[in-house]
Amino acid sequence: MWRDKKVVKKGISVGDWVLKRKPNAEATSKLHSKWEGQFLVIRSKRPDSYHLSEAEGNELHHPWNADSLKKYYM
């Protein structure tokens, strides 16, 4: 459809390192980071829904939407 042309795919896949958006990112000042952590994508059950784990191996409790994630490049 014509709407799909404007959708930007993130290109996140299992095994990628990502940053997640802080819960109140809009309320933070411009000098503070709006992103936190380095998380590993461990699985994806639905498109644009990812389960993350911390660098130590602790899995986060709920899945994250791709809109709240961005790739982390080492």
Side-chain angles (χ1 to χ4, degrees):
M1 295 189 82
W2 61 271
R3 283 176 257 144
D4 295 337
K5 288 189 228 175
K6 295 189 177 195
V7 174
V8 177
K9 294 288 183 183
K10 297 271 183 160
I12 298 172
S13 59
V14 175
D16 287 344
W17 289 94
V18 295
L19 300 175
K20 68 176 182 146
R21 184 181 298 274
K22 289 184 180 177
N24 295 329
E26 290 79 27
T28 60
S29 70
K30 64 181 180 180
L31 297 178
H32 290 97
S33 176
K34 293 177 182 3
W35 301 93
E36 65 183 354
Q38 297 172 2
F39 299 94
L40 181 65
V41 177
I42 54 174
R43 69 179 177 271
S44 173
K45 290 194 175 186
R46 288 185 269 151
D48 295 334
S49 175
Y50 302 99
H51 289 267
L52 307 176
S53 72
E54 296 174 345
E56 295 85 30
N58 303 327
E59 185 175 345
L60 300 182
H61 296 289
H62 59 84
W64 290 85
N65 192 316
D67 291 341
S68 299
L69 302 174
K70 82 175 179 181
K71 269 189 151 178
Y72 177 74
Y73 298 97
M74 291 188 192

